[in-house]
Amino acid sequence: MTRVHDMGGRFGDGPVMPEAEDAPVFAEDWHARALAVTLACGALGQWNIDTSRHARERLSPKDYTRFSYYEKWISALADLLVEKGVLTREDLQGQGAAGLHALAERALRADAVAGALAKGGPATREGGPKPRFTPGQAVRARIPADNALVDGGHTRLPQYAVGAQGYILRLHGTHVLPDSSAHGLGEAPEPLYAVRFHASTLWAHAEHPEDEVVLDLWQSYLEPL
Amino acid sequence: MIVCIMKRDWTGPHAAAQHGRMPHDHHDHPHALLPPDPALRVKALETILTQKGLIDPAALEEIIDTYQNKIGPQNGARVVARAWSDPEFRAALLADADPVLADLGYYGRQGEHMVVVENTPQQHNMVVCTLCSCYPWPLLGIPPGWYKSDAYRARAVREPRKVLAEFGVTLPPEAAVRVWDSTAEVRYLVLPMRPEGTGGMSEEELAALVTRDSMIGTGLAKVPS
């Protein structure tokens, strides 16, 4: 079973509403603050990018659907801060302990921001299993799409590709496996591939016989054909 | 509200059972302890974190300034203009973008693993993230609202041509569409086709023709007037 965030191919969402190229980067001031607070909290080092993505996906389907983009961010952040023991529920209610937090010395300082953003967080790793597939090879996206390690856990295999036949387009290298990393089970790096699928394999009414969709899929998401 | 909190308190037997299994779904919603209005929710969390020394207000300003004023689609436009002007640069960029972009200083968070895909008369490329909002930040900045919308995430993979039409783009029937769903930490930038009538233009003049949407694949480069 899938979660509400896995919406590729879904019907009923209506038209896309393009915005002017020069529209403000942040439509509201609080959007900018939500982004900045989230990035600054990430720098405390209490979780990784896969954990934070999963925190947004774990919002209840009702909340995920009704929340705007940055509402999801800020709500998932509050949940994660409590879950990881950084804040208490009393803190969120304004009734927590006063004074500096034990992690305060790890807070991101203004003069460290440019360096932290420029440094990024590469997902490639040395080692891991050897590549099993070569470009051009036919593969099938595994069934089911669920996280194989954790029931209801994080995965990056979208439901719409499940069981579909595709072709290896390229090997990206060996990347951290989100299905493991999101749950504190280690990085478990695996070969990551770009895999192309004919649109007509994925959709009953593809728009054009030559159209394709490419997904980045880890080796354990794929089976040989 | 108070009744709701008491009923869902994590010390209660029901909530304890929920916490006893992996992964922790947010049935008890710590975020609901914050004000429901999203702007106030951000403000409340920011205040709590600042009081505890976990975030530095000056660092937040620095993050916002970076993505509002320093990093944006002008970066990607410079890369595209150079690729249109310099065949060797273009070949290197398409073969292995990371070292080429790092040389230009366009490396960083959400752009650690870049792949540049080239539009041709036979193939049009378009980028989406159906599972969240993955986007090449060092080259394009923070994604526009439509890129993060349910409608774009749901429909770009299934009916890219209808989505393109909503952006005013109609492709000839001989052009196949390849949609890249950013399911891993690889980020994609579209290299749009150089418009007719731009021979002899400088890189700076060319960069002014490169729109953000043309580098996502929902637009084409501007034709000089």
Side-chain angles (χ1 to χ4, degrees):
Chain A
M1 279 308 293
T2 183
R3 287 184 188 265
V4 65
H5 72 284
D6 183 5
M7 60 180 71
R10 187 172 79 181
F11 286 86
D13 286 285
V16 179
M17 309 300 271
E19 290 153 65
E21 291 268 330
D22 59 356
V25 173
F26 300 106
E28 307 280 349
D29 286 345
W30 70 266
H31 293 179
R33 309 227 52 97
L35 177 115
V37 170
T38 303
L39 295 194
C41 285
L44 296 170
Q46 303 303 295
W47 54 76
N48 59 45
I49 190 163
D50 300 307
T51 314
S52 62
R53 279 203 189 102
H54 189 48
R56 287 169 208 147
E57 296 162 5
R58 280 181 296 150
L59 292 167
S60 72
K62 201 180 280 185
D63 280 351
Y64 192 96
T65 302
R66 74 186 169 93
F67 282 176
S68 65
Y69 182 73
Y70 286 112
E71 252 180 302
K72 294 187 190 74
W73 275 43
I74 207 69
S75 302
L77 175 64
D79 294 341
L80 206 46
L81 284 163
V82 171
E83 188 176 305
K84 295 294 179 188
V86 179
L87 296 182
T88 64
R89 299 175 71 94
E90 290 69 32
D91 288 328
L92 294 188
Q93 291 168 294
Q95 298 159 2
L100 284 183
H101 195 281
L103 288 172
E105 62 188 28
R106 302 185 68 165
L108 181 67
R109 301 293 162 206
D111 59 6
V113 166
L117 297 179
K119 188 173 162 221
T124 43
R125 297 291 183 270
E126 299 293 325
K130 288 196 167 52
R132 187 180 177 194
F133 306 116
T134 52
Q137 189 173 347
V139 291
R140 188 184 297 284
R142 76 160 184 235
I143 306 172
D146 305 23
N147 183 314
L149 306 168
V150 177
D151 193 18
H154 179 64
T155 187
R156 299 291 287 182
L157 174 55
Q159 187 71 35
Y160 75 82
V162 165
Q165 177 178 337
Y167 301 88
I168 302 288
L169 193 61
R170 60 181 287 170
L171 172 66
H172 287 303
T174 299
H175 283 234
V176 172
L177 180 69
D179 305 51
S180 177
S181 167
H183 301 286
L185 300 174
E187 296 189 324
E190 284 185 10
L192 174 74
Y193 306 88
V195 185
R196 67 183 177 89
F197 296 84
H198 294 301
S200 56
T201 304
L202 302 173
W203 321 113
H205 302 276
E207 290 182 313
H208 189 286
E210 302 297 321
D211 287 356
E212 294 176 330
V213 180
V214 179
L215 292 89
D216 288 332
L217 302 174
W218 280 261
Q219 186 154 285
S220 60
Y221 293 3
L222 300 170
E223 295 160 358
L225 272 176
Chain B
M1 192 62 191
I2 290 168
V3 171
C4 169
I5 290 164
M6 295 302 288
K7 258 177 79 180
R8 295 181 176 200
D9 192 281
W10 65 277
T11 56
H14 173 72
Q18 297 287 5
H19 273 256
R21 64 152 207 246
M22 283 286 285
H24 300 311
D25 276 17
H26 294 147
H27 294 286
D28 52 341
H29 301 305
H31 66 255
L33 300 171
L34 294 167
D37 176 80
L40 296 178
R41 182 166 285 183
V42 179
K43 187 71 196 161
L45 193 57
E46 186 183 333
T47 303
I48 294 160
L49 291 163
T50 303
Q51 283 170 351
K52 291 180 177 295
L54 291 168
I55 57 174
D56 172 6
L60 302 188
E61 297 305 328
E62 186 67 28
I63 293 169
I64 293 168
D65 181 51
T66 300
Y67 290 113
Q68 210 155 40
N69 303 312
K70 295 175 185 164
I71 297 181
Q74 67 275 13
N75 293 3
R78 282 190 209 108
V79 173
V80 169
R82 176 119 187 243
W84 284 347
S85 308
D86 179 344
E88 276 182 35
F89 176 88
R90 177 198 193 96
L93 184 71
L94 293 171
D96 186 6
D98 288 334
V100 177
L101 296 171
D103 274 354
L104 296 172
Y106 298 146
Y107 176 86
R109 189 188 176 93
Q110 288 300 305
E112 295 92 346
H113 310 288
M114 285 298 309
V115 171
V116 178
V117 292
E118 181 186 29
N119 282 351
T120 66
Q122 290 76 40
Q123 183 169 292
H124 180 87
N125 296 282
M126 186 169 152
V127 182
V128 64
C129 173
T130 62
L131 297 175
C132 49
S133 54
C134 297
Y135 192 74
W137 288 16
L139 291 161
L140 298 183
I142 301 298
W146 60 260
Y147 184 86
K148 302 177 278 200
S149 70
D150 288 4
Y152 187 72
R153 289 168 54 188
R155 294 177 52 220
V157 283
R158 181 171 50 77
E159 45 184 15
R161 290 165 191 266
K162 288 196 182 72
V163 172
L164 284 171
E166 287 159 19
F167 284 83
V169 175
T170 308
L171 296 175
E174 65 271 19
V177 176
R178 186 176 264 183
V179 181
W180 301 79
D181 189 356
S182 313
T183 48
E185 297 304 330
V186 179
R187 300 287 170 266
Y188 292 93
L189 185 85
V190 175
L191 177 57
M193 283 193 285
R194 180 171 176 163
E196 299 287 330
T198 55
M201 287 179 82
S202 69
E203 278 186 38
E204 199 177 331
E205 289 168 319
L206 289 169
L209 303 176
V210 184
T211 62
R212 174 196 62 210
D213 291 2
S214 74
M215 294 181 280
I216 304 172
T218 54
L220 307 176
K222 287 190 278 192
V223 175
S225 48

